[in-house]
Amino acid sequence: MGSNWSSPAIEYPIRLSKSILGTIGRKRKRDEESDDEVDPMINEAMHTPKRKMLVTTAHYIYQTLFKEGINSDVTVVALGKEWKLHKVYLAQSPYFNSMFSGSWKESMESHVNIQIEDPNINLDALFVVLGSLYRDEFVLKPAEVVPVLAAATLFQLDGIITECIEIMKDSTNVQTVVSYYNTSCQYGVPLVKEACLNWLKVNLLSNMMDFPKKLRDISPSLMSLLVGSPDLFVMQTEFSVYIMLKFWLFLQLHPTWEGNFSDGLPEAQKYFQSRKGQEAFLDSSAGELYRKAFGKLRLPHLVNHHIDLEVIHSDNIIPSRWLGPVIEQQWYQMLRIDQGVDKGHQKDEFYSILQVVAGLKLPFPFSRRPKEVSSAEFLEESLRCGRTILTEGHHCWRWTGFNFGLDVIMNLTNRKLKIRRNHRADCTALLSHQPSRHLLIRVTIASLDGQLQVVSSQKTDVISLSLGQGEEFKVVQLDYKLKFPLLLSFNFLVVVSSKLGFPGSSGVEAVVTPEPSS
């Protein structure tokens, strides 16, 4: 009986398989015969691979272990929140590794309280930083980077700190620069500090003035660094630095004032001039905090125009004893140049021979050739001025009155920047008639992106020039990478200042204004 049932049971599947194979064979022939009838777009769609993301191990670990806390062996409590975590993952942090592997009492406990004193650290930052121990990537917005950097610094996570540094460098702009700078000082991040300083040196006078609230946030110590920098991009002339400082000081003293620069500058001038008859503001107790920043002004380059000097005097911010020695020094140098004794480039040969051969000590110093000036002296003493060039084309401008009768015309055409000593007879300005005038010049050029970060730049060496009347010299050929608009920053030096030493002088340094004691 068993044999009677076994044969059909075996044969049926076989017959069925043959039938199926025959059917498939016939269908394949029909499909092959009708391939030409299939729509090409459908055919392409049928043969295009579809990429689908499966649940990866990293995602599973993050979701299951970190977010859900499955199989947790330690509870971390911080800022009033509990995290069910795992010591094996937390050990990636030197902070937790030393806690769990050393002689600390927490090494044997399953409940750890972390006291967080840093106000920059919030719950969102803790979530990002602790979660990063369970995954190989994370998403971070620039608006969140400061709290995350603070938390990563607490837990000593170098990888997170490095990523925060890159984000901060990439997102330095007018809204973030002061906050990033203060953060870099607090947590010891020199790369971010340098990036912020470089951004501010370029934009302080050219763009920061349009954002009074952000200008107000600059601390006196940071402002002192910027004003004293030889790399500060000064738009127009040094007097612009004084105007900026006056507006900044007004903002510091009026923390609730709101408005723009064009409205604020008259308000600032009205406020300071209302103190007429009182002591200079920087001599007052309220001005003590700001003396260092104003002490970085290059005063010898602020007293070369009578209108500028009248404004400074009427504002009554800078003490007259700061200005007196500077004006005395400038008058002395002007007399020497006017009488042909000082050509801005060489020593008086007769007195030099007496000094060297006879060993005589004369009562006043001699001006040196600009090319003999050290790099440090040039950067410290040079006049800073600048210009914004919006579009490519022909641009020409003139700077007068800043170099004792040296009238210069700058010309930018076909990406060539030239300097010419102007000596036209119909010019109303007093011009030096010396056959040759000598000067040192350095030019820095920058083009910016939408965040006002420098995307390309070019800087010349310090160039020593000797210009005859009407003579022109090509300073630099602009690099093709520079895109308009451009910021041009110049450092000029014609007369080398020195300590006052002529008879009757007070002996006060004219180049570096002394910071008066309180």
Side-chain angles (χ1 to χ4, degrees):
M1 183 174 178
S3 60
N4 291 335
W5 287 98
S6 62
S7 178
I10 296 173
E11 290 176 358
Y12 178 78
I14 294 175
R15 290 197 298 271
L16 179 61
S17 64
K18 288 181 179 179
S19 175
I20 292 174
L21 289 173
T23 302
I24 292 174
R26 290 192 298 271
K27 188 175 185 302
R28 181 181 295 122
K29 289 180 181 179
R30 287 196 299 269
D31 290 344
E32 291 174 352
E33 292 172 356
S34 59
D35 275 349
D36 294 337
E37 301 175 4
V38 178
D39 189 317
M41 293 182 63
I42 296 177
N43 188 51
E44 181 180 358
M46 294 298 293
H47 291 84
T48 300
K50 304 297 183 183
R51 191 182 303 277
K52 296 295 182 180
M53 179 67 73
L54 300 176
V55 177
T56 63
T57 303
H59 178 73
Y60 175 82
I61 290 172
Y62 179 75
Q63 178 65 35
T64 305
L65 300 186
F66 176 67
K67 297 185 74 173
E68 299 178 13
I70 302 299
N71 296 327
S72 168
D73 60 355
V74 62
T75 299
V76 175
V77 181
L79 296 181
K81 178 176 174 57
E82 290 187 352
W83 279 272
K84 301 291 185 179
L85 303 175
H86 308 78
K87 291 183 179 180
V88 67
Y89 286 97
L90 293 179
Q92 298 173 83
S93 160
Y95 175 91
F96 286 111
N97 186 51
S98 62
M99 177 185 294
F100 296 137
S101 62
S103 58
W104 298 90
K105 66 177 184 178
E106 289 87 353
S107 62
M108 303 301 295
E109 294 183 357
S110 60
H111 198 277
V112 176
N113 281 291
I114 299 177
Q115 298 297 325
I116 295 179
E117 306 294 337
D118 190 341
N120 285 329
I121 300 177
N122 55 32
L123 285 174
D124 291 338
L126 289 177
F127 188 87
V128 170
V129 171
L130 293 175
S132 71
L133 300 173
Y134 290 79
R135 63 200 310 188
D136 55 3
E137 65 178 7
F138 66 97
V139 178
L140 184 61
K141 299 176 183 177
E144 306 166 331
V145 71
V146 172
V148 170
L149 174 64
T153 301
L154 172 64
F155 297 129
Q156 303 168 34
L157 295 172
D158 292 340
I160 304 295
I161 293 173
T162 299
E163 293 301 321
C164 289
I165 290 173
E166 292 304 313
I167 291 173
M168 294 171 80
K169 288 167 59 180
D170 291 342
S171 60
T172 299
N173 53 51
V174 70
Q175 298 295 331
T176 63
V177 62
V178 178
S179 171
Y180 283 0
Y181 176 83
N182 294 334
T183 299
S184 69
C185 294
Q186 181 176 353
Y187 299 108
V189 190
L191 291 177
V192 174
K193 181 178 180 180
E194 181 183 7
C196 293
L197 284 174
N198 290 338
W199 190 97
L200 285 166
K201 289 174 186 176
V202 172
N203 290 285
L204 180 62
L205 279 94
S206 58
N207 292 295
M208 203 74 177
M209 305 279 282
D210 296 330
F211 300 89
K213 290 183 179 180
K214 297 303 177 182
L215 182 65
R216 178 189 281 125
D217 290 340
I218 297 178
S219 67
S221 59
L222 174 55
M223 184 61 78
S224 176
L225 281 176
L226 297 172
V227 174
S229 172
D231 298 318
L232 180 67
F233 274 56
V234 174
M235 295 296 102
Q236 300 304 324
T237 64
E238 289 279 352
F239 190 69
S240 302
V241 184
Y242 171 78
I243 294 297
M244 180 276 300
L245 274 179
K246 179 169 68 174
F247 182 50
W248 167 78
L249 179 58
F250 173 77
L251 294 173
Q252 293 275 309
L253 299 175
H254 299 81
T256 60
W257 184 88
E258 294 185 2
N260 54 39
F261 172 70
S262 60
D263 295 331
L265 187 58
E267 288 287 326
Q269 188 158 317
K270 180 180 177 181
Y271 170 77
F272 289 112
Q273 292 183 359
S274 69
R275 301 180 67 258
K276 186 176 182 180
Q278 302 181 40
E279 62 182 343
F281 178 80
L282 295 179
D283 276 342
S284 68
S285 58
E288 182 177 1
L289 182 62
Y290 309 102
R291 289 176 194 163
K292 187 174 182 180
F294 277 84
K296 297 295 183 179
L297 283 168
R298 302 193 172 192
L299 294 182
H301 302 302
L302 294 183
V303 297
N304 293 331
H305 198 289
H306 71 94
I307 295 179
D308 296 349
L309 195 55
E310 289 167 4
V311 171
I312 293 173
H313 177 72
S314 62
D315 286 340
N316 196 30
I317 298 174
I318 299 175
S320 58
R321 69 176 185 278
W322 288 26
L323 298 171
V326 177
I327 296 172
E328 189 178 27
Q329 172 74 9
Q330 296 293 78
W331 175 248
Y332 171 64
Q333 289 180 324
M334 188 190 72
L335 291 176
R336 288 172 56 81
I337 292 173
D338 183 63
Q339 296 170 19
V341 178
D342 184 353
K343 296 179 174 60
H345 68 97
Q346 62 185 7
K347 296 180 180 179
D348 300 290
E349 296 298 334
F350 174 71
Y351 290 109
S352 296
I353 294 173
L354 290 179
Q355 213 169 13
V356 174
V357 177
L360 295 179
K361 291 186 178 180
L362 299 174
F364 55 89
F366 298 109
S367 296
R368 295 161 291 174
R369 294 176 63 91
K371 67 180 181 181
E372 295 174 353
V373 176
S374 68
S375 175
E377 287 177 301
F378 171 79
L379 294 176
E380 182 181 352
E381 300 177 10
S382 58
L383 165 74
R384 300 168 299 182
C385 48
R387 197 85 171 180
T388 300
I389 307 297
L390 298 177
T391 59
E392 191 154 6
H394 174 69
H395 301 274
C396 186
W397 65 96
R398 180 175 175 227
W399 278 317
T400 64
F402 60 85
N403 274 323
F404 303 96
L406 180 61
D407 186 348
V408 297
I409 293 178
M410 305 302 303
N411 189 313
L412 178 61
T413 307
N414 297 326
R415 304 182 74 86
K416 296 177 182 178
L417 180 65
K418 298 179 180 180
I419 182 173
R420 178 164 59 88
R421 181 185 174 190
N422 188 34
H423 211 271
R424 291 173 52 184
D426 58 346
C427 290
T428 57
L430 295 176
L431 299 178
S432 169
H433 294 281
Q434 295 172 356
S436 182
R437 290 299 300 271
H438 302 256
L439 70 150
L440 298 178
I441 182 175
R442 186 187 72 166
V443 183
T444 307
I445 310 165
S447 54
L448 312 180
D449 62 11
Q451 296 192 103
L452 304 178
Q453 293 188 9
V454 176
V455 291
S456 56
S457 64
Q458 185 177 3
K459 180 185 290 187
T460 69
D461 295 327
V462 178
I463 303 171
S464 178
L465 297 179
S466 199
L467 295 177
Q469 298 177 4
E471 187 174 356
E472 188 175 65
F473 177 83
K474 186 179 86 170
V475 178
V476 63
Q477 174 75 50
L478 270 60
D479 192 289
Y480 72 95
K481 295 180 180 179
L482 292 167
K483 306 298 182 184
F484 289 83
L486 298 176
L487 295 182
L488 276 66
S489 175
F490 297 81
N491 294 76
F492 283 102
L493 186 61
V494 173
V495 177
V496 183
S497 299
S498 60
K499 292 182 180 180
L500 291 170
F502 56 86
S505 75
S506 58
V508 180
E509 288 190 13
V511 174
V512 182
T513 303
E515 297 173 16
S517 57
S518 57

